[in-house]
Amino acid sequence: VRIFGLTSDKGRELNGREATVLTVGDRCHVELAGGDAVSVRNCNLVRAGEYDSDDGWNVGRVAKRQRTEPGSASSSETSSTALAASSAAPSPAGVSEEGAVWLVLSSYSFPEGCACVANAPIAAAFRSLEKFEVSVQCDDDASEERHFNSEALLYSRAAAVAAGVPFPLSQWMPLGKSGFVARAAASLPFFGPFRALQAYQILSSGSCEALAKFEIGRPPTGSDNALRLKNEAGRSMASAPEKRQLGKVFGLGAKTAIDLVEAAGRFDGLTPVRSVPSLLQSPQHLAKLGGDKRAGSLLASLRHFDELQEPVSEAEALEMRRHVLSVVRSHHSARAGGGETARRRRQAAARAAVAGTRTSWAALARAAA
């Protein structure tokens, strides 16, 4: 193993040195390369090769986070994640963000779906939470300190870990809630106690508190156990399903969807819009969204919204793309003719491009046209 993260004067002299574990416990007795034996806490040990003091890792920051919560699991359980005898994934909770990224990319595999199908519900739930976070906060949270949606990013990373880990996380369920949380937080990159607790809840009931509240339009509770009524930019965390649905409309983004639901921004003074049918039936809102300049594409995407949400295979998506490109290229060529002839050519090209295809293909072609 390699020692890291010690903050005392004597400990700093040991950081980066390799050692051999003699006895395993909450504090491990290890033998240094020179033959000296010392006692080091388990959370300050990683397998040799996982950490190098020359890699630019922030040792001071690393030392602030323990791999396990004190007393949350037995010493034999917690120690196995840091030592070479572990059968689980490498223990990452003490490494930097850059190190955790490298650990995921180098240790996990990402086939189509999940590396372990038993973890698919966890990955799917975290992906849904990521989308909800973007729906209520946008891609960035409008904070002066952060220029990205950090909550969505964390859920995205957790979903990737759940999809890539090669063993079922349910194998830790017999440890009970506290044991599961401690083991997951100690063993999985980007999993702290809060994310581990969410994974436990998903395995237990199929959902977690945050996802359940988002799905019914209520603000979730954060990792600090406080209700997240608004984000740092003052955006409401409520009405997530409505914002998410409107944000799926071709040509609309998350910020526009938020403003529609909350009657804010350019829609200030208008009635809040909470669904696609309501938007389609509101000339005032459509006028604010661009009026005649976007009437064709926006109305098509609204009228065919349900069709455009249908899941399709990769082969069907490629075929749709081919048909859309055919329409666009035909229109481009027809414009050279000018006048009534060009108009007839465009109509004929559009009819030919969508003839005999599935309804959803036709909808997509019309939206693109």
Side-chain angles (χ1 to χ4, degrees), residues 11 20 52 70 73 113 141 153 169 183 190-191 195 200 204 209 233-234 270 286 300 302 319 327 346 360:
T20 301
D52 194 317
D141 64 3
L153 176 63
L169 300 185
R183 180 62 65 87
F190 303 116
F191 267 62
R195 199 69 67 234
Y200 177 85
S204 299
E209 186 267 355
L270 299 181
L286 293 176
L302 288 171
E319 184 66 8
V327 172
R346 287 197 296 271
S360 56

Side-chain angles (χ1 to χ4, degrees), residues 209-337:
E209 186 267 355
L211 182 57
K213 285 191 173 181
F214 269 138
E215 288 176 338
I216 60 175
R218 295 173 57 191
T221 301
S223 57
D224 58 357
N225 207 32
L227 197 61
R228 297 171 58 201
L229 296 175
K230 294 184 177 182
N231 73 346
E232 294 178 6
R235 291 174 180 154
S236 171
M237 301 294 289
S239 304
E242 294 84 356
K243 295 171 183 175
R244 183 173 175 180
Q245 184 196 48
L246 288 167
K248 291 180 180 179
V249 175
F250 181 77
L252 299 185
K255 179 61 169 62
T256 301
I258 291 172
D259 288 345
L260 283 166
V261 173
E262 298 181 357
R266 68 183 117 166
F267 309 107
D268 185 25
L270 299 181
T271 303
V273 169
R274 303 181 67 84
S275 68
V276 170
S278 297
L279 178 57
L280 187 58
Q281 297 170 11
S282 176
Q284 288 180 304
H285 289 86
L286 293 176
K288 293 284 187 180
L289 287 170
D292 296 337
K293 295 180 180 179
R294 298 178 59 195
S297 61
L298 180 59
L299 288 176
S301 61
L302 288 171
R303 288 168 179 164
H304 301 281
F305 176 78
D306 290 335
E307 296 174 68
L308 294 172
Q309 306 309 309
E310 294 177 6
V312 296
S313 67
E314 182 179 2
E316 288 175 316
L318 292 174
E319 184 66 8
M320 290 180 192
R321 181 176 182 273
R322 187 182 68 80
H323 276 273
V324 171
L325 288 176
S326 174
V327 172
V328 174
R329 288 166 179 162
S330 297
H331 283 200
H332 179 72
S333 299
R335 287 193 185 99

